[in-house]
mmCIF file with all atom_site columns, all heavy atoms in Angstrom:
data_model
loop_
_atom_site.group_PDB
_atom_site.id
_atom_site.type_symbol
_atom_site.label_atom_id
_atom_site.label_alt_id
_atom_site.label_comp_id
_atom_site.label_asym_id
_atom_site.label_entity_id
_atom_site.label_seq_id
_atom_site.pdbx_PDB_ins_code
_atom_site.Cartn_x
_atom_site.Cartn_y
_atom_site.Cartn_z
_atom_site.occupancy
_atom_site.B_iso_or_equiv
_atom_site.pdbx_formal_charge
_atom_site.auth_seq_id
_atom_site.auth_comp_id
_atom_site.auth_asym_id
_atom_site.auth_atom_id
_atom_site.pdbx_PDB_model_num
ATOM 1   N N   . ARG T 1 2   ? 10.244 -21.501 -5.200  1.00 0.00 ? 2   ARG T N   1
ATOM 2   C CA  . ARG T 1 2   ? 9.037  -21.156 -4.464  1.00 0.00 ? 2   ARG T CA  1
ATOM 3   C C   . ARG T 1 2   ? 7.842  -21.067 -5.406  1.00 0.00 ? 2   ARG T C   1
ATOM 4   O O   . ARG T 1 2   ? 7.924  -20.521 -6.489  1.00 0.00 ? 2   ARG T O   1
ATOM 5   C CB  . ARG T 1 2   ? 9.252  -19.795 -3.797  1.00 0.00 ? 2   ARG T CB  1
ATOM 6   C CG  . ARG T 1 2   ? 8.461  -19.586 -2.544  1.00 0.00 ? 2   ARG T CG  1
ATOM 7   C CD  . ARG T 1 2   ? 8.890  -18.308 -1.834  1.00 0.00 ? 2   ARG T CD  1
ATOM 8   N NE  . ARG T 1 2   ? 10.290 -18.344 -1.459  1.00 0.00 ? 2   ARG T NE  1
ATOM 9   C CZ  . ARG T 1 2   ? 10.775 -19.085 -0.469  1.00 0.00 ? 2   ARG T CZ  1
ATOM 10  N NH1 . ARG T 1 2   ? 9.979  -19.838 0.252   1.00 0.00 ? 2   ARG T NH1 1
ATOM 11  N NH2 . ARG T 1 2   ? 12.067 -19.076 -0.199  1.00 0.00 ? 2   ARG T NH2 1
ATOM 12  N N   . TYR T 1 4   ? 3.708  -20.041 -6.023  1.00 0.00 ? 4   TYR T N   1
ATOM 13  C CA  . TYR T 1 4   ? 2.657  -19.129 -5.589  1.00 0.00 ? 4   TYR T CA  1
ATOM 14  C C   . TYR T 1 4   ? 1.313  -19.734 -5.908  1.00 0.00 ? 4   TYR T C   1
ATOM 15  O O   . TYR T 1 4   ? 1.080  -20.194 -7.021  1.00 0.00 ? 4   TYR T O   1
ATOM 16  C CB  . TYR T 1 4   ? 2.855  -17.759 -6.254  1.00 0.00 ? 4   TYR T CB  1
ATOM 17  C CG  . TYR T 1 4   ? 4.037  -17.072 -5.624  1.00 0.00 ? 4   TYR T CG  1
ATOM 18  C CD1 . TYR T 1 4   ? 5.342  -17.409 -5.992  1.00 0.00 ? 4   TYR T CD1 1
ATOM 19  C CD2 . TYR T 1 4   ? 3.861  -16.181 -4.584  1.00 0.00 ? 4   TYR T CD2 1
ATOM 20  C CE1 . TYR T 1 4   ? 6.433  -16.844 -5.351  1.00 0.00 ? 4   TYR T CE1 1
ATOM 21  C CE2 . TYR T 1 4   ? 4.951  -15.608 -3.937  1.00 0.00 ? 4   TYR T CE2 1
ATOM 22  C CZ  . TYR T 1 4   ? 6.230  -15.943 -4.328  1.00 0.00 ? 4   TYR T CZ  1
ATOM 23  O OH  . TYR T 1 4   ? 7.300  -15.401 -3.673  1.00 0.00 ? 4   TYR T OH  1
ATOM 24  N N   . ALA T 1 16  ? 6.947  -17.157 -9.306  1.00 0.00 ? 16  ALA T N   1
ATOM 25  C CA  . ALA T 1 16  ? 6.665  -15.745 -9.028  1.00 0.00 ? 16  ALA T CA  1
ATOM 26  C C   . ALA T 1 16  ? 6.399  -14.937 -10.292 1.00 0.00 ? 16  ALA T C   1
ATOM 27  O O   . ALA T 1 16  ? 5.429  -14.168 -10.359 1.00 0.00 ? 16  ALA T O   1
ATOM 28  C CB  . ALA T 1 16  ? 7.822  -15.138 -8.242  1.00 0.00 ? 16  ALA T CB  1
ATOM 29  N N   . PRO T 1 33  ? 2.773  -17.043 -1.338  1.00 0.00 ? 33  PRO T N   1
ATOM 30  C CA  . PRO T 1 33  ? 3.854  -18.020 -1.440  1.00 0.00 ? 33  PRO T CA  1
ATOM 31  C C   . PRO T 1 33  ? 3.495  -19.280 -0.647  1.00 0.00 ? 33  PRO T C   1
ATOM 32  O O   . PRO T 1 33  ? 2.866  -19.169 0.404   1.00 0.00 ? 33  PRO T O   1
ATOM 33  C CB  . PRO T 1 33  ? 5.045  -17.303 -0.789  1.00 0.00 ? 33  PRO T CB  1
ATOM 34  C CG  . PRO T 1 33  ? 4.478  -16.200 0.018   1.00 0.00 ? 33  PRO T CG  1
ATOM 35  C CD  . PRO T 1 33  ? 3.142  -15.857 -0.553  1.00 0.00 ? 33  PRO T CD  1
ATOM 36  N N   . LEU T 1 36  ? 7.053  -19.215 3.346   1.00 0.00 ? 36  LEU T N   1
ATOM 37  C CA  . LEU T 1 36  ? 7.745  -17.928 3.406   1.00 0.00 ? 36  LEU T CA  1
ATOM 38  C C   . LEU T 1 36  ? 9.230  -18.184 3.621   1.00 0.00 ? 36  LEU T C   1
ATOM 39  O O   . LEU T 1 36  ? 9.602  -19.060 4.408   1.00 0.00 ? 36  LEU T O   1
ATOM 40  C CB  . LEU T 1 36  ? 7.190  -17.093 4.562   1.00 0.00 ? 36  LEU T CB  1
ATOM 41  C CG  . LEU T 1 36  ? 5.809  -16.497 4.312   1.00 0.00 ? 36  LEU T CG  1
ATOM 42  C CD1 . LEU T 1 36  ? 5.219  -15.980 5.606   1.00 0.00 ? 36  LEU T CD1 1
ATOM 43  C CD2 . LEU T 1 36  ? 5.872  -15.371 3.310   1.00 0.00 ? 36  LEU T CD2 1
ATOM 44  N N   . PRO T 1 37  ? 10.088 -17.428 2.937   1.00 0.00 ? 37  PRO T N   1
ATOM 45  C CA  . PRO T 1 37  ? 11.520 -17.596 3.171   1.00 0.00 ? 37  PRO T CA  1
ATOM 46  C C   . PRO T 1 37  ? 11.867 -17.125 4.583   1.00 0.00 ? 37  PRO T C   1
ATOM 47  O O   . PRO T 1 37  ? 11.172 -16.275 5.135   1.00 0.00 ? 37  PRO T O   1
ATOM 48  C CB  . PRO T 1 37  ? 12.156 -16.663 2.136   1.00 0.00 ? 37  PRO T CB  1
ATOM 49  C CG  . PRO T 1 37  ? 11.099 -15.688 1.774   1.00 0.00 ? 37  PRO T CG  1
ATOM 50  C CD  . PRO T 1 37  ? 9.786  -16.357 1.983   1.00 0.00 ? 37  PRO T CD  1
ATOM 51  N N   . ILE T 1 61  ? 15.854 -9.581  0.373   1.00 0.00 ? 61  ILE T N   1
ATOM 52  C CA  . ILE T 1 61  ? 14.480 -9.971  0.731   1.00 0.00 ? 61  ILE T CA  1
ATOM 53  C C   . ILE T 1 61  ? 13.679 -10.311 -0.532  1.00 0.00 ? 61  ILE T C   1
ATOM 54  O O   . ILE T 1 61  ? 13.029 -11.366 -0.612  1.00 0.00 ? 61  ILE T O   1
ATOM 55  C CB  . ILE T 1 61  ? 13.771 -8.829  1.511   1.00 0.00 ? 61  ILE T CB  1
ATOM 56  C CG1 . ILE T 1 61  ? 14.537 -8.499  2.798   1.00 0.00 ? 61  ILE T CG1 1
ATOM 57  C CG2 . ILE T 1 61  ? 12.318 -9.197  1.798   1.00 0.00 ? 61  ILE T CG2 1
ATOM 58  C CD1 . ILE T 1 61  ? 14.649 -9.638  3.788   1.00 0.00 ? 61  ILE T CD1 1
ATOM 59  N N   . ILE T 1 62  ? 13.720 -9.439  -1.506  1.00 0.00 ? 62  ILE T N   1
ATOM 60  C CA  . ILE T 1 62  ? 12.923 -9.685  -2.721  1.00 0.00 ? 62  ILE T CA  1
ATOM 61  C C   . ILE T 1 62  ? 13.447 -10.930 -3.449  1.00 0.00 ? 62  ILE T C   1
ATOM 62  O O   . ILE T 1 62  ? 12.675 -11.766 -3.921  1.00 0.00 ? 62  ILE T O   1
ATOM 63  C CB  . ILE T 1 62  ? 12.941 -8.440  -3.641  1.00 0.00 ? 62  ILE T CB  1
ATOM 64  C CG1 . ILE T 1 62  ? 12.330 -7.243  -2.896  1.00 0.00 ? 62  ILE T CG1 1
ATOM 65  C CG2 . ILE T 1 62  ? 12.153 -8.705  -4.932  1.00 0.00 ? 62  ILE T CG2 1
ATOM 66  C CD1 . ILE T 1 62  ? 12.512 -5.905  -3.599  1.00 0.00 ? 62  ILE T CD1 1
ATOM 67  N N   . GLY T 1 63  ? 14.775 -11.054 -3.473  1.00 0.00 ? 63  GLY T N   1
ATOM 68  C CA  . GLY T 1 63  ? 15.370 -12.227 -4.117  1.00 0.00 ? 63  GLY T CA  1
ATOM 69  C C   . GLY T 1 63  ? 14.955 -13.532 -3.441  1.00 0.00 ? 63  GLY T C   1
ATOM 70  O O   . GLY T 1 63  ? 14.800 -14.565 -4.101  1.00 0.00 ? 63  GLY T O   1
ATOM 71  N N   . ALA T 1 64  ? 14.767 -13.491 -2.120  1.00 0.00 ? 64  ALA T N   1
ATOM 72  C CA  . ALA T 1 64  ? 14.380 -14.715 -1.402  1.00 0.00 ? 64  ALA T CA  1
ATOM 73  C C   . ALA T 1 64  ? 12.948 -15.124 -1.742  1.00 0.00 ? 64  ALA T C   1
ATOM 74  O O   . ALA T 1 64  ? 12.637 -16.311 -1.851  1.00 0.00 ? 64  ALA T O   1
ATOM 75  C CB  . ALA T 1 64  ? 14.520 -14.500 0.104   1.00 0.00 ? 64  ALA T CB  1
ATOM 76  N N   . PHE T 1 65  ? 12.085 -14.160 -1.923  1.00 0.00 ? 65  PHE T N   1
ATOM 77  C CA  . PHE T 1 65  ? 10.690 -14.477 -2.293  1.00 0.00 ? 65  PHE T CA  1
ATOM 78  C C   . PHE T 1 65  ? 10.602 -14.879 -3.767  1.00 0.00 ? 65  PHE T C   1
ATOM 79  O O   . PHE T 1 65  ? 9.941  -15.849 -4.116  1.00 0.00 ? 65  PHE T O   1
ATOM 80  C CB  . PHE T 1 65  ? 9.792  -13.253 -2.075  1.00 0.00 ? 65  PHE T CB  1
ATOM 81  C CG  . PHE T 1 65  ? 9.260  -13.113 -0.683  1.00 0.00 ? 65  PHE T CG  1
ATOM 82  C CD1 . PHE T 1 65  ? 9.940  -12.357 0.261   1.00 0.00 ? 65  PHE T CD1 1
ATOM 83  C CD2 . PHE T 1 65  ? 8.076  -13.730 -0.307  1.00 0.00 ? 65  PHE T CD2 1
ATOM 84  C CE1 . PHE T 1 65  ? 9.446  -12.221 1.549   1.00 0.00 ? 65  PHE T CE1 1
ATOM 85  C CE2 . PHE T 1 65  ? 7.567  -13.602 0.970   1.00 0.00 ? 65  PHE T CE2 1
ATOM 86  C CZ  . PHE T 1 65  ? 8.260  -12.839 1.908   1.00 0.00 ? 65  PHE T CZ  1
ATOM 87  N N   . PHE T 1 66  ? 11.239 -14.094 -4.620  1.00 0.00 ? 66  PHE T N   1
ATOM 88  C CA  . PHE T 1 66  ? 11.123 -14.310 -6.065  1.00 0.00 ? 66  PHE T CA  1
ATOM 89  C C   . PHE T 1 66  ? 12.365 -15.045 -6.558  1.00 0.00 ? 66  PHE T C   1
ATOM 90  O O   . PHE T 1 66  ? 13.195 -14.503 -7.284  1.00 0.00 ? 66  PHE T O   1
ATOM 91  C CB  . PHE T 1 66  ? 10.944 -12.961 -6.784  1.00 0.00 ? 66  PHE T CB  1
ATOM 92  C CG  . PHE T 1 66  ? 9.699  -12.213 -6.372  1.00 0.00 ? 66  PHE T CG  1
ATOM 93  C CD1 . PHE T 1 66  ? 9.595  -10.834 -6.544  1.00 0.00 ? 66  PHE T CD1 1
ATOM 94  C CD2 . PHE T 1 66  ? 8.606  -12.888 -5.821  1.00 0.00 ? 66  PHE T CD2 1
ATOM 95  C CE1 . PHE T 1 66  ? 8.440  -10.146 -6.174  1.00 0.00 ? 66  PHE T CE1 1
ATOM 96  C CE2 . PHE T 1 66  ? 7.447  -12.198 -5.438  1.00 0.00 ? 66  PHE T CE2 1
ATOM 97  C CZ  . PHE T 1 66  ? 7.373  -10.824 -5.616  1.00 0.00 ? 66  PHE T CZ  1
ATOM 98  N N   . ASP T 1 67  ? 12.481 -16.302 -6.154  1.00 0.00 ? 67  ASP T N   1
ATOM 99  C CA  . ASP T 1 67  ? 13.718 -17.027 -6.418  1.00 0.00 ? 67  ASP T CA  1
ATOM 100 C C   . ASP T 1 67  ? 13.800 -17.577 -7.843  1.00 0.00 ? 67  ASP T C   1
ATOM 101 O O   . ASP T 1 67  ? 14.777 -18.216 -8.203  1.00 0.00 ? 67  ASP T O   1
ATOM 102 C CB  . ASP T 1 67  ? 13.932 -18.134 -5.378  1.00 0.00 ? 67  ASP T CB  1
ATOM 103 C CG  . ASP T 1 67  ? 12.757 -19.096 -5.315  1.00 0.00 ? 67  ASP T CG  1
ATOM 104 O OD1 . ASP T 1 67  ? 11.772 -18.891 -6.064  1.00 0.00 ? 67  ASP T OD1 1
ATOM 105 O OD2 . ASP T 1 67  ? 12.821 -20.047 -4.530  1.00 0.00 ? 67  ASP T OD2 1
ATOM 106 N N   . VAL T 1 237 ? 5.566  -7.877  -1.865  1.00 0.00 ? 237 VAL T N   1
ATOM 107 C CA  . VAL T 1 237 ? 6.871  -8.370  -1.414  1.00 0.00 ? 237 VAL T CA  1
ATOM 108 C C   . VAL T 1 237 ? 7.920  -7.257  -1.233  1.00 0.00 ? 237 VAL T C   1
ATOM 109 O O   . VAL T 1 237 ? 8.632  -7.249  -0.225  1.00 0.00 ? 237 VAL T O   1
ATOM 110 C CB  . VAL T 1 237 ? 7.360  -9.509  -2.345  1.00 0.00 ? 237 VAL T CB  1
ATOM 111 C CG1 . VAL T 1 237 ? 8.840  -9.766  -2.173  1.00 0.00 ? 237 VAL T CG1 1
ATOM 112 C CG2 . VAL T 1 237 ? 6.546  -10.772 -2.060  1.00 0.00 ? 237 VAL T CG2 1
ATOM 113 N N   . VAL T 1 240 ? 8.016  -5.783  2.216   1.00 0.00 ? 240 VAL T N   1
ATOM 114 C CA  . VAL T 1 240 ? 8.563  -6.521  3.353   1.00 0.00 ? 240 VAL T CA  1
ATOM 115 C C   . VAL T 1 240 ? 9.950  -5.982  3.693   1.00 0.00 ? 240 VAL T C   1
ATOM 116 O O   . VAL T 1 240 ? 10.341 -5.889  4.860   1.00 0.00 ? 240 VAL T O   1
ATOM 117 C CB  . VAL T 1 240 ? 8.638  -8.039  3.031   1.00 0.00 ? 240 VAL T CB  1
ATOM 118 C CG1 . VAL T 1 240 ? 9.244  -8.810  4.201   1.00 0.00 ? 240 VAL T CG1 1
ATOM 119 C CG2 . VAL T 1 240 ? 7.253  -8.585  2.673   1.00 0.00 ? 240 VAL T CG2 1
ATOM 120 N N   . TYR T 1 279 ? 4.622  -10.449 7.239   1.00 0.00 ? 279 TYR T N   1
ATOM 121 C CA  . TYR T 1 279 ? 5.542  -11.306 6.487   1.00 0.00 ? 279 TYR T CA  1
ATOM 122 C C   . TYR T 1 279 ? 6.970  -11.155 7.022   1.00 0.00 ? 279 TYR T C   1
ATOM 123 O O   . TYR T 1 279 ? 7.712  -12.134 7.135   1.00 0.00 ? 279 TYR T O   1
ATOM 124 C CB  . TYR T 1 279 ? 5.504  -10.979 4.980   1.00 0.00 ? 279 TYR T CB  1
ATOM 125 C CG  . TYR T 1 279 ? 4.385  -11.657 4.209   1.00 0.00 ? 279 TYR T CG  1
ATOM 126 C CD1 . TYR T 1 279 ? 3.347  -12.300 4.858   1.00 0.00 ? 279 TYR T CD1 1
ATOM 127 C CD2 . TYR T 1 279 ? 4.376  -11.667 2.816   1.00 0.00 ? 279 TYR T CD2 1
ATOM 128 C CE1 . TYR T 1 279 ? 2.328  -12.928 4.153   1.00 0.00 ? 279 TYR T CE1 1
ATOM 129 C CE2 . TYR T 1 279 ? 3.364  -12.299 2.093   1.00 0.00 ? 279 TYR T CE2 1
ATOM 130 C CZ  . TYR T 1 279 ? 2.334  -12.917 2.765   1.00 0.00 ? 279 TYR T CZ  1
ATOM 131 O OH  . TYR T 1 279 ? 1.340  -13.541 2.051   1.00 0.00 ? 279 TYR T OH  1
ATOM 132 N N   . MET T 1 283 ? 9.391  -14.068 8.643   1.00 0.00 ? 283 MET T N   1
ATOM 133 C CA  . MET T 1 283 ? 10.746 -14.355 8.167   1.00 0.00 ? 283 MET T CA  1
ATOM 134 C C   . MET T 1 283 ? 11.760 -14.393 9.304   1.00 0.00 ? 283 MET T C   1
ATOM 135 O O   . MET T 1 283 ? 12.882 -14.867 9.121   1.00 0.00 ? 283 MET T O   1
ATOM 136 C CB  . MET T 1 283 ? 11.202 -13.297 7.156   1.00 0.00 ? 283 MET T CB  1
ATOM 137 C CG  . MET T 1 283 ? 10.430 -13.311 5.865   1.00 0.00 ? 283 MET T CG  1
ATOM 138 S SD  . MET T 1 283 ? 11.102 -12.084 4.719   1.00 0.00 ? 283 MET T SD  1
ATOM 139 C CE  . MET T 1 283 ? 12.575 -12.932 4.133   1.00 0.00 ? 283 MET T CE  1
#
Side-chain angles (χ1 to χ4, degrees):
R2 208 171 300 287
Y4 287 79
L36 286 167
I61 300 299
I62 299 170
F65 274 92
F66 299 158
D67 56 359
V237 163
V240 178
Y279 276 12
M283 293 183 77

